[in-house]
Amino acid sequence: DLPREEFNDLDTAFHVAVAAAAGNLLARDLTSAIRESMRLPILDRFRTLDSWGTVAPALRRDHEAIYAAVARGDGTAAAALAEEHIRSAWHLLNPV
C-alpha cells in the first residue's frame, strides 16, 4: 500500500495525464490547477477516511478502466468513465 500522500500525488498525475492525452492544453492546465487547489482538502480526506482499504482499490479500478478506454482510443467511453469516477469518488470520500 502506498502512503496516502503518495497516492494523492499519483492520483493527481493520472488526472492531469488523462487531460493532456485529450490534446487540449486548456483542459490539462485547468485540471492541474483544480487538482493543485484541491490537494490539501483531498489529502485531508484521504488521511481521515476510515474506509481507505476499500476506497483506494475502488479509485484504482476506476483509473484502470479510464486508462484502458484511452489506450484503445475510445474517447466517448473514457469521458463517461471519467465523469462516473469523479461522481463516485465524491461519494466514496464523503459518505453520508
Side-chain angles (χ1 to χ4, degrees):
D1 261 351
L2 292 173
R4 295 176 194 198
E5 294 81 4
E6 187 176 351
F7 185 99
N8 189 36
D9 292 344
L10 293 171
D11 183 65
T12 295
F14 174 80
H15 283 269
V16 172
V18 168
N24 182 325
L25 296 179
L26 179 59
R28 182 203 63 201
D29 292 348
L30 279 173
T31 300
S32 181
I34 290 167
R35 289 300 303 228
E36 184 58 34
S37 71
M38 294 301 297
R39 183 181 191 285
L40 292 178
I42 291 171
L43 185 54
D44 182 56
R45 195 66 194 121
F46 281 3
R47 288 177 177 149
T48 60
L49 199 61
D50 291 334
S51 58
W52 182 250
T54 57
V55 169
L59 296 175
R60 282 189 197 106
R61 282 190 301 274
D62 287 355
H63 289 174
E64 290 166 358
I66 294 165
Y67 175 81
V70 170
R72 70 176 179 267
D74 189 345
T76 301
L81 289 164
E83 181 178 348
E84 179 55 32
H85 168 63
I86 291 167
R87 292 179 192 281
S88 68
W90 173 259
H91 291 292
L92 287 168
L93 296 174
N94 299 284
V96 178

